[in-house]
């Protein structure tokens, strides 16, 4: 299975020299059947920088995190194509050799809009995206009350996505996601994904699996087609360690809420400290800000300016 710390995310110059970037890199990772691609959920430049520095092989841009961080609203289908593509483009650009898998919801409309979504994501440097079968007024995959479109509508979305990928001659990875398990059962979800493979998608994603048996079964049924697992602590899918999930046969594991909970807890605590004591905690010192600046490219900017003969940042790093 894949190593979480396999690359040195702090050495951006070395990684930039990789022969693979974005989608090509992800496809190369998926060629190895013993490899599982572990993707922490990120939603802005800061969380993406932290994931890159930690050395992850790939990242996942969560739609829920994007909606909450960019718009301040829960994941209820409020974010638009422009919201999602803009955020994905920014994250993907931070280190193009670290593949970004991005939520693309329902594709934001009919077949024409789906082709537009795939085109914009591909040109933004996104390595992979997933299209789902919820109605346009969608919600987070682990919430109750999801409404699912008919097969014909879902398949038309996937055909449009595959058509756009092929017409662009792009390596972007198309992931078919189905939320049909909750409403119509496991067998219906499987049949939708089997047809999705015939249409030409690259990866399948059965959202909200409910038992270990279902988890093992979907991987067995899908055979050589890579299967993605969504890990949401407290959600309907049982949570297992990476090693066990890899043995089940999953090839990509995403953790959409990985950064959301710690951020909520730590920032809420710091705000309370200031409110109750009248001063910030020592952890909120200027040293922490400098560390964050370095994480987010301060030294690279200083080096570029120096190499270009500039003096704008000559004292910044002192």
């Amino acid at each position: 299975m894949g190593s979480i710390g396999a690359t040195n995310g702090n050495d951006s110059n070395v990684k930039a020299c990789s022969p693979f970037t974005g989608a090509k890199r992800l496809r190369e990772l998926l060629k190895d059947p013993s490899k599982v691609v572990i993707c922490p959920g990120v939603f802005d430049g800061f969380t993406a920088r932290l994931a890159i520095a930690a050395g992850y092989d790939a990242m996942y841009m969560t739609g829920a995190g994007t909606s909450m961080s960019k718009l301040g609203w829960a994941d209820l289908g409020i974010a638009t194509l422009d919201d999602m593509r803009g955020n994905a483009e920014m994250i993907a650009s931070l280190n193009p050799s670290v593949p970004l898998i991005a939520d693309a919801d329902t594709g934001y409309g009919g077949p024409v809009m789906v082709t537009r979504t795939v085109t914009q994501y591909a040109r933004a440097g996104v390595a992979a995206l997933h299209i789902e079968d919820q109605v346009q007024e969608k919600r987070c995959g682990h919430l109750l009350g999801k409404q699912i479109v008919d097969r014909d509508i879902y398949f038309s979305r996937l055909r449009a996505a595959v058509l756009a990928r092929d017409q662009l001659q792009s390596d972007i990875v198309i992931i078919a996601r189905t939320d049909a398990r909750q409403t119509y059962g496991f067998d219906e979800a499987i049949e939708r994904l089997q047809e999705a493979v015939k249409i030409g998608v690259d990866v399948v994603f059965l959202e909200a699996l409910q038992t270990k048996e279902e988890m093992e079964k979907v991987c067995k049924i899908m055979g050589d087609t890579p299967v993605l697992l969504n890990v949401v602590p407290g959600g309907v899918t049982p949570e297992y360690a990476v090693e066990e999930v890899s043995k089940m046969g999953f090839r990509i594991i995403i953790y959409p809420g990985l950064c959301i909970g710690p951020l909520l807890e730590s920032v809420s605590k710091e705000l309370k400290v200031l409110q109750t004591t009248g001063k910030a905690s020592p952890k909120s010192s200027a040293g922490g800000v400098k560390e964050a600046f370095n994480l987010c490219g301060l030294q690279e900017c200083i080096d570029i300016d120096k190499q270009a003969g500039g003096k704008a940042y000559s004292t910044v790093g002192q």
Side-chain angles (χ1 to χ4, degrees):
M1 62 168 287
S3 171
I4 292 178
T7 55
N8 180 5
N10 290 315
D11 194 351
S12 59
N13 290 328
V14 172
K15 282 188 71 73
C17 295
S18 168
F20 302 107
T21 57
K24 286 185 179 180
R25 174 60 179 160
L26 180 59
R27 286 184 179 275
E28 192 68 18
L29 291 171
L30 290 174
K31 286 180 181 179
D32 184 354
S34 66
K35 177 84 173 179
V36 57
V37 182
I38 303 165
C39 305
V42 300
F43 48 82
D44 60 8
F46 199 48
T47 53
R49 285 282 193 177
L50 287 167
I52 292 169
Y56 282 88
D57 290 325
M59 300 180 289
Y60 174 71
M61 189 192 84
T62 156
T66 297
S67 184
M68 289 187 286
S69 64
K70 189 175 180 66
L71 305 178
W73 288 98
D75 183 19
L76 297 171
I78 298 171
T80 66
L81 168 58
D82 287 346
D83 295 325
M84 297 290 283
R85 187 267 311 148
N87 202 40
E89 183 173 28
M90 178 272 295
I91 293 171
S93 72
L94 296 176
N95 191 327
S97 68
V98 179
L100 178 68
I101 300 173
D103 189 347
D105 296 317
T106 63
Y108 310 104
V112 173
M113 275 303 298
V114 172
T115 61
R116 189 165 182 260
T117 297
V118 172
T119 298
Q120 290 197 14
Y121 271 48
R123 289 174 176 167
V126 173
L129 57 79
H130 58 75
I131 302 288
E132 65 196 54
D133 55 2
Q134 288 195 57
V135 298
Q136 295 296 336
E137 296 79 11
K138 58 148 290 177
R139 61 188 64 191
C140 174
H142 285 250
L143 294 178
L144 297 177
K146 293 182 290 185
Q147 297 181 53
I148 308 301
V149 298
D150 293 339
R151 288 188 181 194
D152 288 346
I153 295 175
Y154 178 45
F155 296 153
S156 71
R157 292 174 182 173
L158 298 180
R159 290 190 192 97
V162 169
L163 180 64
R165 178 200 65 197
D166 295 346
Q167 287 183 338
L168 287 169
Q169 297 183 333
S170 170
D171 288 309
I172 190 169
V173 174
I174 304 297
I175 304 171
R177 164 178 160 171
T178 180
D179 289 72
R181 169 66 186 86
Q182 182 189 100
T183 305
Y184 298 116
F186 180 80
D187 290 343
E188 171 66 17
I190 287 292
E191 289 179 14
R192 289 185 176 220
L193 294 183
Q194 289 175 320
E195 183 61 28
V197 174
K198 293 177 183 177
I199 289 171
V201 305
D202 303 293
V203 176
V204 295
F205 171 8
L206 203 166
E207 176 66 303
L209 291 158
Q210 296 187 8
T211 65
K212 182 179 181 181
E213 181 184 11
E214 288 185 354
M215 295 168 71
E216 293 173 336
K217 193 173 181 180
V218 65
C219 293
K220 183 177 181 180
I221 291 172
M222 299 316 300
D224 293 334
T225 301
V227 182
L228 179 151
L229 177 67
N230 183 18
V231 177
V232 179
V236 300
T237 302
E239 188 174 0
Y240 295 96
V242 168
E243 291 80 5
E244 191 162 2
V245 170
S246 178
K247 290 178 182 178
M248 293 178 192
F250 290 99
R251 300 293 308 286
I252 302 174
I253 312 173
I254 60 172
Y255 295 81
L258 188 71
C259 297
I260 296 174
L263 175 66
L264 181 64
E265 181 179 358
S266 61
V267 174
S268 295
K269 182 178 179 180
E270 289 300 319
L271 290 170
K272 193 65 175 179
V273 167
L274 176 59
Q275 193 175 53
T276 56
T277 68
K279 60 181 181 179
S281 70
K283 291 185 293 184
S284 299
S285 66
V289 174
K290 185 175 180 180
E291 182 181 354
F293 275 24
N294 285 329
L295 174 74
C296 293
L298 174 61
Q299 293 304 317
E300 287 88 342
C301 291
I302 292 174
D303 290 343
I304 290 170
D305 186 66
K306 183 184 295 185
Q307 291 173 25
K311 299 180 180 179
Y313 305 122
S314 59
T315 61
V316 170
Q318 298 179 1

